[in-house]
Amino acid sequence: MKKWTKLLSLALSLATAAGIPVLSNAGMAEAADTAASVTTIAAYGPDHLIKRDGSLWVWGDSRPVPTRVPGLTEVKASFGLAGGGGLAVKQDLSVWQWQTNAKTSAMETVQVPEMTGLTDLAMVQGTYLAINAEGAVYQAEFLDNGGGSVSFSPVAGIDGVTAARGYSEDNEQGSWKRFLFLKQDGTVWTSTDQLRSFQPVQKLSGILQLESNFALAGDGTVWTWPIESIYNPVAGHDVMNPVPVTGLKDIRILHDNGRSTLAIDNNAGLWFRGMTITGSSDGTAFHEQALPLRFSGIRNVTDAYIMERSIVALTSGGKVYTASIGEETITADAVFTLLASNITSIEGGGRHVIMQKSDGTLWGWGVNKNAQLGYANYDFSFDQPVPMQKPVTLTLNGETVNLTSGVITRSGQNFVPLRSLFDKLGAIVAYKENHTTTPTSSGVTASKVEKIVTITRTAVSKPSLSISINTVSGETTVNGTVIALATPPFIVNGTLYLPLRFISEQLGATVSWLPQQEEIAISMK
């Protein structure tokens, strides 16, 4: 189940701890280019951020850096959908859905008229469950058809809901989805017949939080119940029988990833219960530790997540520590290693975490296979946290320019996707590949590929202009004269990025950087 994204209202505070662990020289240079301003980010999650101007920015999948969702203003919350889309809630409580066009890669936005005030979104085995501020429940089926809107419809028979969760179950007779609903009165209700009927779960009252097959009660106890499967038959599977988790008490925060559970108690102690992992690929093995243990090597924990085979924990001193669960067993005296300092909050994304420093910048750590860290590449992972790229707005004569992928900054220069801006400045952009072969003295034929971008001016009233860029060698000419570029164009995930200022100014535009707004303002007569 894809976890729903929670939002935090961010309090900016001073920190006394040291900075992020030292990167390489190249990493330090890029960090200076990519750090975001403290004044711009109002809220963030593992795959999005909301700026103080109400704009929504997303990254991941086809977008290696934060990219503005077009047409949305006054956004207050965001929830991710599978397949490269999401739902946004505006200040007027209207709900808007954005999806990625499979053909053009552009983000398209439409209002969801049947819903207002979305507060929670969960996916249970292909079914979305959405909750609004009034406690109504809506459902939609995820169709993996490469885009398109998700259509929500109201669920009858249950109301007063604050959160929804669920999972799949099966036995020798078949399989089903178990939906769980936390109501405003602290009771929990369940459905196993595709949302046609609902029953209260006995013994669960005063519940504050649902996580998979766990429930956190207001008195600090944690309750659990078995998940039915052919490997774990449960007598009378249609009737849940929750029991308190032995050893867990005075708990105030609970996180579960389906295999393992982290809990934080009222004394800021960190607890673990569940699976450790060894091996890889087909040889992966899971080792269950049913009895909770309280770690002795870390204190003052304010938040924690399980990420792949690591525990990531934030302390009240603004430090983030990590410990491995990649062993057959984990003990109370497990070693926690300092990962980052000067951190005010963290958000877990399953395989990665996003952290905000006290200066407002966002940093990421963990798996980056699908650009989860917003770091402008798709390297699988990093040993140390890396800085996220700036959420840079691009305007032309005062109007926002919508990009399929955001501005990338390298060595102090800004780059934009090949077909995103320059046609709006009166240019024709063309791309071609030249393939040549040359016989060598050893009789082997050597092949060479040149990838050439040409940019020509279309206005007959202005002097002719022809820019040619060899994206392999970096050789650049303007009207036949070779020009040296400090940083050559580059390709990220199949998208070619060109130097914004250099080409814009050659076309006669004026380019200005507005640091307070994090905006590149281009003017063109």
Side-chain angles (χ1 to χ4, degrees), residues 5 49 76 89 99 106 120 158 194 214 264 287 298 302 310 364 378 380 384 448 471 482 504 512 516:
T5 300
L49 64 86
K76 61 178 292 187
V89 185
Q99 291 286 342
D120 184 49
I158 190 166
Q194 290 298 315
F214 293 88
I264 302 173
H287 313 276
I298 188 169
T302 60
S310 298
Y378 289 79
F380 189 85
Q384 299 293 334
K448 180 180 180 182
T471 63
V482 176
S504 298
S512 301
Q516 294 301 317

PDB file of all heavy atoms in Angstrom, residues 5 49 76 89 99 106 120 158 194 214 264 287 298 302 310 364 378 380 384 448 471 482 504 512 516:
ATOM      1  N   THR A   5       0.529  10.845   2.236  1.00  0.00           N
ATOM      2  CA  THR A   5       1.490  11.858   2.641  1.00  0.00           C
ATOM      3  C   THR A   5       0.903  12.768   3.701  1.00  0.00           C
ATOM      4  O   THR A   5      -0.163  13.319   3.507  1.00  0.00           O
ATOM      5  CB  THR A   5       1.902  12.705   1.434  1.00  0.00           C
ATOM      6  OG1 THR A   5       2.490  11.839   0.476  1.00  0.00           O
ATOM      7  CG2 THR A   5       2.895  13.770   1.822  1.00  0.00           C
ATOM      8  N   LEU A  49       6.454  19.763  -2.203  1.00  0.00           N
ATOM      9  CA  LEU A  49       6.543  20.883  -1.277  1.00  0.00           C
ATOM     10  C   LEU A  49       5.532  21.943  -1.692  1.00  0.00           C
ATOM     11  O   LEU A  49       5.112  22.009  -2.848  1.00  0.00           O
ATOM     12  CB  LEU A  49       7.964  21.458  -1.218  1.00  0.00           C
ATOM     13  CG  LEU A  49       8.552  22.102  -2.475  1.00  0.00           C
ATOM     14  CD1 LEU A  49       8.177  23.589  -2.602  1.00  0.00           C
ATOM     15  CD2 LEU A  49      10.073  21.957  -2.475  1.00  0.00           C
ATOM     16  N   LYS A  76      -2.965  24.287   0.117  1.00  0.00           N
ATOM     17  CA  LYS A  76      -2.670  24.114   1.540  1.00  0.00           C
ATOM     18  C   LYS A  76      -2.249  22.691   1.896  1.00  0.00           C
ATOM     19  O   LYS A  76      -1.681  22.458   2.954  1.00  0.00           O
ATOM     20  CB  LYS A  76      -3.875  24.509   2.386  1.00  0.00           C
ATOM     21  CG  LYS A  76      -5.126  23.689   2.126  1.00  0.00           C
ATOM     22  CD  LYS A  76      -6.286  24.094   3.043  1.00  0.00           C
ATOM     23  CE  LYS A  76      -6.017  23.720   4.487  1.00  0.00           C
ATOM     24  NZ  LYS A  76      -7.193  23.961   5.360  1.00  0.00           N
ATOM     25  N   VAL A  89      -5.388  20.288  -2.159  1.00  0.00           N
ATOM     26  CA  VAL A  89      -6.478  20.986  -1.484  1.00  0.00           C
ATOM     27  C   VAL A  89      -6.108  22.458  -1.409  1.00  0.00           C
ATOM     28  O   VAL A  89      -5.033  22.813  -0.923  1.00  0.00           O
ATOM     29  CB  VAL A  89      -6.722  20.430  -0.071  1.00  0.00           C
ATOM     30  CG1 VAL A  89      -7.933  21.094   0.563  1.00  0.00           C
ATOM     31  CG2 VAL A  89      -6.902  18.919  -0.114  1.00  0.00           C
ATOM     32  N   GLN A  99      -2.539  15.137 -13.154  1.00  0.00           N
ATOM     33  CA  GLN A  99      -2.022  13.913 -13.735  1.00  0.00           C
ATOM     34  C   GLN A  99      -0.980  14.262 -14.789  1.00  0.00           C
ATOM     35  O   GLN A  99      -0.973  15.374 -15.322  1.00  0.00           O
ATOM     36  CB  GLN A  99      -3.142  13.085 -14.379  1.00  0.00           C
ATOM     37  CG  GLN A  99      -4.118  12.470 -13.391  1.00  0.00           C
ATOM     38  CD  GLN A  99      -3.541  11.290 -12.627  1.00  0.00           C
ATOM     39  OE1 GLN A  99      -2.549  10.705 -13.043  1.00  0.00           O
ATOM     40  NE2 GLN A  99      -4.152  10.937 -11.508  1.00  0.00           N
ATOM     41  N   ALA A 106       3.392  16.553 -19.912  1.00  0.00           N
ATOM     42  CA  ALA A 106       2.922  17.759 -19.242  1.00  0.00           C
ATOM     43  C   ALA A 106       1.949  17.391 -18.119  1.00  0.00           C
ATOM     44  O   ALA A 106       1.217  16.399 -18.208  1.00  0.00           O
ATOM     45  CB  ALA A 106       2.242  18.685 -20.240  1.00  0.00           C
ATOM     46  N   ASP A 120      -7.505  13.094   4.222  1.00  0.00           N
ATOM     47  CA  ASP A 120      -6.754  11.848   4.295  1.00  0.00           C
ATOM     48  C   ASP A 120      -6.962  11.066   3.007  1.00  0.00           C
ATOM     49  O   ASP A 120      -8.058  11.096   2.421  1.00  0.00           O
ATOM     50  CB  ASP A 120      -7.215  11.011   5.493  1.00  0.00           C
ATOM     51  CG  ASP A 120      -6.381   9.746   5.665  1.00  0.00           C
ATOM     52  OD1 ASP A 120      -5.142   9.856   5.643  1.00  0.00           O
ATOM     53  OD2 ASP A 120      -6.951   8.659   5.808  1.00  0.00           O
ATOM     54  N   ILE A 158     -21.278   4.702   6.075  1.00  0.00           N
ATOM     55  CA  ILE A 158     -20.315   5.037   7.117  1.00  0.00           C
ATOM     56  C   ILE A 158     -20.034   6.528   7.060  1.00  0.00           C
ATOM     57  O   ILE A 158     -19.977   7.126   5.982  1.00  0.00           O
ATOM     58  CB  ILE A 158     -19.011   4.212   6.971  1.00  0.00           C
ATOM     59  CG1 ILE A 158     -18.129   4.389   8.212  1.00  0.00           C
ATOM     60  CG2 ILE A 158     -18.266   4.574   5.690  1.00  0.00           C
ATOM     61  CD1 ILE A 158     -17.010   3.367   8.312  1.00  0.00           C
ATOM     62  N   GLN A 194     -16.144  -5.255  -0.016  1.00  0.00           N
ATOM     63  CA  GLN A 194     -16.037  -4.170  -1.007  1.00  0.00           C
ATOM     64  C   GLN A 194     -16.910  -2.969  -0.645  1.00  0.00           C
ATOM     65  O   GLN A 194     -17.581  -2.390  -1.491  1.00  0.00           O
ATOM     66  CB  GLN A 194     -16.370  -4.684  -2.402  1.00  0.00           C
ATOM     67  CG  GLN A 194     -15.326  -5.616  -2.990  1.00  0.00           C
ATOM     68  CD  GLN A 194     -13.972  -4.929  -3.179  1.00  0.00           C
ATOM     69  OE1 GLN A 194     -13.880  -3.808  -3.657  1.00  0.00           O
ATOM     70  NE2 GLN A 194     -12.920  -5.629  -2.787  1.00  0.00           N
ATOM     71  N   PHE A 214      -2.282  -2.431  13.322  1.00  0.00           N
ATOM     72  CA  PHE A 214      -1.989  -1.895  14.643  1.00  0.00           C
ATOM     73  C   PHE A 214      -2.864  -0.664  14.884  1.00  0.00           C
ATOM     74  O   PHE A 214      -3.223   0.049  13.945  1.00  0.00           O
ATOM     75  CB  PHE A 214      -0.517  -1.492  14.778  1.00  0.00           C
ATOM     76  CG  PHE A 214       0.432  -2.661  14.744  1.00  0.00           C
ATOM     77  CD1 PHE A 214       0.933  -3.128  13.543  1.00  0.00           C
ATOM     78  CD2 PHE A 214       0.811  -3.286  15.919  1.00  0.00           C
ATOM     79  CE1 PHE A 214       1.805  -4.203  13.503  1.00  0.00           C
ATOM     80  CE2 PHE A 214       1.687  -4.365  15.890  1.00  0.00           C
ATOM     81  CZ  PHE A 214       2.184  -4.823  14.683  1.00  0.00           C
ATOM     82  N   ILE A 264       7.352   5.552  19.591  1.00  0.00           N
ATOM     83  CA  ILE A 264       8.028   6.531  20.454  1.00  0.00           C
ATOM     84  C   ILE A 264       7.153   6.738  21.680  1.00  0.00           C
ATOM     85  O   ILE A 264       5.945   7.010  21.560  1.00  0.00           O
ATOM     86  CB  ILE A 264       8.256   7.861  19.717  1.00  0.00           C
ATOM     87  CG1 ILE A 264       9.093   7.622  18.457  1.00  0.00           C
ATOM     88  CG2 ILE A 264       8.942   8.881  20.634  1.00  0.00           C
ATOM     89  CD1 ILE A 264       9.230   8.837  17.571  1.00  0.00           C
ATOM     90  N   HIS A 287      13.353 -11.977   9.435  1.00  0.00           N
ATOM     91  CA  HIS A 287      13.490 -12.594  10.748  1.00  0.00           C
ATOM     92  C   HIS A 287      12.625 -11.801  11.737  1.00  0.00           C
ATOM     93  O   HIS A 287      12.862 -10.614  11.967  1.00  0.00           O
ATOM     94  CB  HIS A 287      14.947 -12.583  11.196  1.00  0.00           C
ATOM     95  CG  HIS A 287      15.903 -13.054  10.134  1.00  0.00           C
ATOM     96  ND1 HIS A 287      16.170 -14.388   9.915  1.00  0.00           N
ATOM     97  CD2 HIS A 287      16.618 -12.366   9.200  1.00  0.00           C
ATOM     98  CE1 HIS A 287      17.028 -14.512   8.915  1.00  0.00           C
ATOM     99  NE2 HIS A 287      17.313 -13.295   8.461  1.00  0.00           N
ATOM    100  N   ILE A 298      19.938   5.583  21.938  1.00  0.00           N
ATOM    101  CA  ILE A 298      19.414   6.834  21.404  1.00  0.00           C
ATOM    102  C   ILE A 298      18.323   7.346  22.334  1.00  0.00           C
ATOM    103  O   ILE A 298      17.524   6.565  22.874  1.00  0.00           O
ATOM    104  CB  ILE A 298      18.878   6.649  19.969  1.00  0.00           C
ATOM    105  CG1 ILE A 298      18.505   8.000  19.355  1.00  0.00           C
ATOM    106  CG2 ILE A 298      17.713   5.667  19.924  1.00  0.00           C
ATOM    107  CD1 ILE A 298      18.218   7.924  17.860  1.00  0.00           C
ATOM    108  N   THR A 302      12.055  12.357  18.586  1.00  0.00           N
ATOM    109  CA  THR A 302      10.812  13.067  18.273  1.00  0.00           C
ATOM    110  C   THR A 302      10.082  12.481  17.072  1.00  0.00           C
ATOM    111  O   THR A 302       8.879  12.659  16.928  1.00  0.00           O
ATOM    112  CB  THR A 302      11.087  14.555  18.013  1.00  0.00           C
ATOM    113  OG1 THR A 302      11.999  14.685  16.904  1.00  0.00           O
ATOM    114  CG2 THR A 302      11.691  15.216  19.240  1.00  0.00           C
ATOM    115  N   SER A 310      17.033   0.343   7.157  1.00  0.00           N
ATOM    116  CA  SER A 310      17.570   1.278   8.144  1.00  0.00           C
ATOM    117  C   SER A 310      16.443   1.880   8.973  1.00  0.00           C
ATOM    118  O   SER A 310      15.324   2.065   8.493  1.00  0.00           O
ATOM    119  CB  SER A 310      18.339   2.408   7.454  1.00  0.00           C
ATOM    120  OG  SER A 310      19.450   1.914   6.733  1.00  0.00           O
ATOM    121  N   GLY A 364      17.808  15.174   1.204  1.00  0.00           N
ATOM    122  CA  GLY A 364      17.272  13.833   1.082  1.00  0.00           C
ATOM    123  C   GLY A 364      18.320  12.778   1.302  1.00  0.00           C
ATOM    124  O   GLY A 364      19.517  13.000   1.091  1.00  0.00           O
ATOM    125  N   TYR A 378      19.593  10.326 -11.129  1.00  0.00           N
ATOM    126  CA  TYR A 378      18.933   9.072 -10.787  1.00  0.00           C
ATOM    127  C   TYR A 378      19.922   8.059 -10.223  1.00  0.00           C
ATOM    128  O   TYR A 378      19.696   6.856 -10.322  1.00  0.00           O
ATOM    129  CB  TYR A 378      18.222   8.500 -12.025  1.00  0.00           C
ATOM    130  CG  TYR A 378      16.994   9.291 -12.426  1.00  0.00           C
ATOM    131  CD1 TYR A 378      17.109  10.484 -13.122  1.00  0.00           C
ATOM    132  CD2 TYR A 378      15.710   8.861 -12.110  1.00  0.00           C
ATOM    133  CE1 TYR A 378      16.000  11.221 -13.492  1.00  0.00           C
ATOM    134  CE2 TYR A 378      14.586   9.582 -12.469  1.00  0.00           C
ATOM    135  CZ  TYR A 378      14.739  10.761 -13.166  1.00  0.00           C
ATOM    136  OH  TYR A 378      13.619  11.497 -13.528  1.00  0.00           O
ATOM    137  N   PHE A 380      21.402   5.604  -7.685  1.00  0.00           N
ATOM    138  CA  PHE A 380      20.539   4.779  -6.839  1.00  0.00           C
ATOM    139  C   PHE A 380      20.479   5.266  -5.392  1.00  0.00           C
ATOM    140  O   PHE A 380      19.418   5.314  -4.781  1.00  0.00           O
ATOM    141  CB  PHE A 380      20.981   3.317  -6.881  1.00  0.00           C
ATOM    142  CG  PHE A 380      20.013   2.385  -6.197  1.00  0.00           C
ATOM    143  CD1 PHE A 380      18.919   1.886  -6.881  1.00  0.00           C
ATOM    144  CD2 PHE A 380      20.195   2.013  -4.872  1.00  0.00           C
ATOM    145  CE1 PHE A 380      18.020   1.036  -6.253  1.00  0.00           C
ATOM    146  CE2 PHE A 380      19.304   1.169  -4.239  1.00  0.00           C
ATOM    147  CZ  PHE A 380      18.212   0.675  -4.929  1.00  0.00           C
ATOM    148  N   GLN A 384      25.703   9.982   2.115  1.00  0.00           N
ATOM    149  CA  GLN A 384      25.364  11.100   2.968  1.00  0.00           C
ATOM    150  C   GLN A 384      24.143  11.835   2.393  1.00  0.00           C
ATOM    151  O   GLN A 384      23.847  11.706   1.205  1.00  0.00           O
ATOM    152  CB  GLN A 384      26.544  12.075   3.077  1.00  0.00           C
ATOM    153  CG  GLN A 384      27.807  11.482   3.673  1.00  0.00           C
ATOM    154  CD  GLN A 384      27.643  11.117   5.127  1.00  0.00           C
ATOM    155  OE1 GLN A 384      26.818  11.689   5.840  1.00  0.00           O
ATOM    156  NE2 GLN A 384      28.448  10.164   5.604  1.00  0.00           N
ATOM    157  N   LYS A 448      30.970   6.786 -34.422  1.00  0.00           N
ATOM    158  CA  LYS A 448      30.899   8.044 -33.687  1.00  0.00           C
ATOM    159  C   LYS A 448      29.501   8.622 -33.844  1.00  0.00           C
ATOM    160  O   LYS A 448      28.937   8.621 -34.945  1.00  0.00           O
ATOM    161  CB  LYS A 448      31.947   9.037 -34.207  1.00  0.00           C
ATOM    162  CG  LYS A 448      31.945  10.385 -33.504  1.00  0.00           C
ATOM    163  CD  LYS A 448      33.014  11.305 -34.092  1.00  0.00           C
ATOM    164  CE  LYS A 448      33.031  12.651 -33.405  1.00  0.00           C
ATOM    165  NZ  LYS A 448      34.051  13.562 -34.004  1.00  0.00           N
ATOM    166  N   THR A 471      25.893  18.255 -28.109  1.00  0.00           N
ATOM    167  CA  THR A 471      25.640  17.872 -26.723  1.00  0.00           C
ATOM    168  C   THR A 471      26.541  16.739 -26.255  1.00  0.00           C
ATOM    169  O   THR A 471      26.538  16.403 -25.068  1.00  0.00           O
ATOM    170  CB  THR A 471      24.169  17.459 -26.545  1.00  0.00           C
ATOM    171  OG1 THR A 471      23.898  16.310 -27.356  1.00  0.00           O
ATOM    172  CG2 THR A 471      23.240  18.591 -26.953  1.00  0.00           C
ATOM    173  N   VAL A 482      32.953  29.716 -32.711  1.00  0.00           N
ATOM    174  CA  VAL A 482      32.996  28.825 -31.544  1.00  0.00           C
ATOM    175  C   VAL A 482      32.915  29.653 -30.257  1.00  0.00           C
ATOM    176  O   VAL A 482      33.643  30.650 -30.096  1.00  0.00           O
ATOM    177  CB  VAL A 482      34.267  27.979 -31.552  1.00  0.00           C
ATOM    178  CG1 VAL A 482      34.361  27.129 -30.277  1.00  0.00           C
ATOM    179  CG2 VAL A 482      34.290  27.083 -32.787  1.00  0.00           C
ATOM    180  N   SER A 504      18.899  32.475 -24.002  1.00  0.00           N
ATOM    181  CA  SER A 504      17.888  33.539 -23.923  1.00  0.00           C
ATOM    182  C   SER A 504      18.481  34.883 -24.311  1.00  0.00           C
ATOM    183  O   SER A 504      17.868  35.661 -25.075  1.00  0.00           O
ATOM    184  CB  SER A 504      17.302  33.604 -22.519  1.00  0.00           C
ATOM    185  OG  SER A 504      16.648  32.400 -22.179  1.00  0.00           O
ATOM    186  N   SER A 512      16.748  37.996 -15.461  1.00  0.00           N
ATOM    187  CA  SER A 512      17.005  38.511 -14.110  1.00  0.00           C
ATOM    188  C   SER A 512      16.712  37.420 -13.087  1.00  0.00           C
ATOM    189  O   SER A 512      15.769  36.631 -13.245  1.00  0.00           O
ATOM    190  CB  SER A 512      16.122  39.732 -13.821  1.00  0.00           C
ATOM    191  OG  SER A 512      16.356  40.766 -14.758  1.00  0.00           O
ATOM    192  N   GLN A 516      14.488  36.522  -3.630  1.00  0.00           N
ATOM    193  CA  GLN A 516      13.448  36.398  -2.613  1.00  0.00           C
ATOM    194  C   GLN A 516      12.289  35.533  -3.086  1.00  0.00           C
ATOM    195  O   GLN A 516      11.694  34.786  -2.311  1.00  0.00           O
ATOM    196  CB  GLN A 516      12.936  37.788  -2.213  1.00  0.00           C
ATOM    197  CG  GLN A 516      13.965  38.660  -1.514  1.00  0.00           C
ATOM    198  CD  GLN A 516      14.489  38.027  -0.237  1.00  0.00           C
ATOM    199  OE1 GLN A 516      13.729  37.468   0.544  1.00  0.00           O
ATOM    200  NE2 GLN A 516      15.803  38.099  -0.032  1.00  0.00           N
TER     201      GLN A 516
END
